[in-house]
Structures are given as structure tokens and as C-alpha cells.
Amino acid sequence: MIAGPQRATILRRAVRVTVAASVGFYPLLYGAGLPVAALYALFAPIAMGLLSVVPGSGPQRAAVMLRALPPALVLATLGTLLAVDTWAAVGGMLVIGFLLAFVAVAGPRPAGIAPGLQLFYILACFPPYAPDTLVERLAGLTAGALLLAASETLLPDPAAPSYRERLAAALDEAARGAAPGGVAPERLRDAGSTLRLADVPPAERPAGAGRADRALEQAGRSARRLLDQLATLAEAPSAPADPETAALLGRVAELCTACARFLRTGSRPPPAGALEKAMRGFQADRVRLASGPP
């Protein structure tokens, strides 16, 4: 049984594809008398909006579709020209299939639109071989893609919190957990669970190969580890905290707050190496106390 929110998402997706396909197909077929353009205007929303699962909000999906339009035009052109010979079309399919499969390394959105791009090549390869209809094909494809992008913008799905927002909220919770008074261990662990990539929508996962995604993923793992340690500390039997430990926890709380603020605003980044400096000071105090007179 599909849950209510998922049903609503499916319904909105169906409405977007139906509106884009209908608005492109009927005017081109019955108004302009261009059956080939109408076919491609009908197929483009189906390929990019229904048979391709592009994660993200409406504007994000629209941007992906607009960026995918030039490659789609190139693939439709190649399919139209290579349809002159079966083996040429097969060879093109092998090369294009490999390249589109490799696109997945760029992140979930390029990987999501790849099946639709491949379908444009496949449709153009279907007989009959008609290079004289290339302009109509490209015009219909362009119209369908633009209409679908407009539908994605006008009928968007509710936006999900980004990974930066999740990380900032988790760091705020860690700051409260490190401050005097603390936070219940369950709340700390729940905050850490929101950073698991398996629980994050695909569009918001820092899964790309760029520096920003790698930094967010590493920060998420570090924050989860910190929250787990704070939860373990909160579960330990209560004991009077020594000044050094209290000072270190206070510094951790300050840095977590500063990092959360930076993630939200992009201004006033925390000083580099501040936590390492506090930890070295804590370790030096421990060594001094351990080596001092009894």
C-alpha cells in the first residue's frame, strides 16, 4: 500500500507529464499539422518526466531538464542519421549506452535523466529512415522539454531540507548536548540518524565527486560520531566534572554553534584548527595532572 505523501507525489508527477504532453501534442498535430513534431513533443515529457526519475525539487528538476536539452537534441540527431544502417545504429547504441551509464558518477540528477536521453536516441533510430524530418523532430523535442520544465516549476513538489540544513540542525543539537544541562541521549542519536545517507532524499545526498559534496559527507560522518559520543557521555553515571573537561565541552559547544551558523549563512566561518587546539590543551592538562605530585 502506497503511503499518502507518496501518492500525492505520484499524482503531481502524472499531472505535470500529462499537461506538458497534451499542451505540446494537440496544437502541433491539429493546429500546425506537424505529426512528427507532435510525436516528439508528446514523447519528451514522457521520457524525461515519467521514465526518468530525476530527484530534487521542481526548480532543480527543471534546471536538469534544461541542461539536458542540448544533449537530447544531439542524440536525436545522431539517431536520425545513424538509422540509415542497422549496424551503425547498433554501434551508436553501444557507445551512447556506455557514456550515459558512466554519467552516474556525476551525481543522482545526471544519473536520473540518463534513461530519458537514451530513449531519444532509440526513438530517432526507429524506422523509417527520414532525415528530412530532423528539423520537426528537434522542434517537437524542444517544445516538449520546455513545457515539462515549465510544469515542474509551476507544479513543484514540496521542498525537502538540504543536507546542509540537516547538518546545521544536528550541530545545534550537539551544541546543546555539550553544554551544561545536556540533552537526552535519544534526542542526540535521533539527530545523528537524520544524517545517514540512506535516510536522505537522493537529490540532497552529498554523493558527488566534487569537493563540496565530499566535505559535507565527511562533516556528516564526524557530526554523527560526535552525537553518538555525547549520547554515550549523557548515559554515563553522573559525576562531578573537572574544570578541564567542562572547558573542553564548552569549547565543543561553541564550535558546533559556529559551524551551524556558517552552514546556514555562509559568513563568519569558525577558525581552522580551533578544536584541535582545544584538544591539545586538554591533553596537556591531563598529562600535567598525571605527572604532578600525588
Side-chain angles (χ1 to χ4, degrees), residues 16 56-65 149 151-153 155-159:
R16 289 192 296 265
S57 63
Q60 288 173 333
R61 286 196 298 270
V64 171
M65 292 166 186
S151 298
E152 293 285 357
T153 304
L155 299 171
D157 290 329

Side-chain angles (χ1 to χ4, degrees), residues 80-193:
T80 300
L81 299 179
L82 293 179
V84 65
D85 180 75
T86 301
W87 287 110
V90 170
M93 185 73 261
L94 290 174
V95 174
I96 291 168
F98 171 79
L99 293 176
L100 291 177
F102 191 73
V103 164
V105 302
R109 293 190 186 102
I113 199 67
L117 294 176
Q118 189 165 6
L119 289 171
F120 289 129
Y121 175 83
I122 294 173
L123 177 63
C125 281
F126 268 76
Y129 172 63
D132 54 307
T133 63
L134 178 59
V135 174
E136 278 192 50
R137 294 182 179 190
L138 299 183
L141 194 160
T142 301
L146 293 178
L147 287 169
L148 180 60
S151 298
E152 293 285 357
T153 304
L154 297 175
L155 299 171
D157 290 329
S162 67
Y163 198 79
R164 292 177 70 95
E165 293 170 349
R166 290 170 179 261
L167 183 56
L171 288 172
D172 281 337
E173 199 70 24
R176 287 188 288 270
V183 176
E186 295 78 11
R187 284 187 56 184
L188 294 170
R189 290 199 170 94
D190 289 343
S193 67

Side-chain angles (χ1 to χ4, degrees), residues 13-25:
R13 185 180 181 187
V15 169
R16 289 192 296 265
V17 173
T18 302
V19 169
S22 301
V23 172
F25 178 76

Side-chain angles (χ1 to χ4, degrees), residues 35-65:
V36 175
L39 173 64
Y40 276 77
L42 171 69
F43 185 74
I46 295 174
M48 301 176 80
L50 192 62
L51 301 179
S52 298
V53 182
V54 181
S57 63
Q60 288 173 333
R61 286 196 298 270
V64 171
M65 292 166 186

Side-chain angles (χ1 to χ4, degrees), residues 222 248 251-252 255 259 270-285:
S222 299
L248 178 61
R251 188 59 176 150
V252 169
L255 289 172
C259 290
L275 183 58
E276 289 78 2
K277 182 179 178 181
M279 292 174 64
R280 284 195 297 269
F282 175 79
Q283 292 169 348
D285 288 336

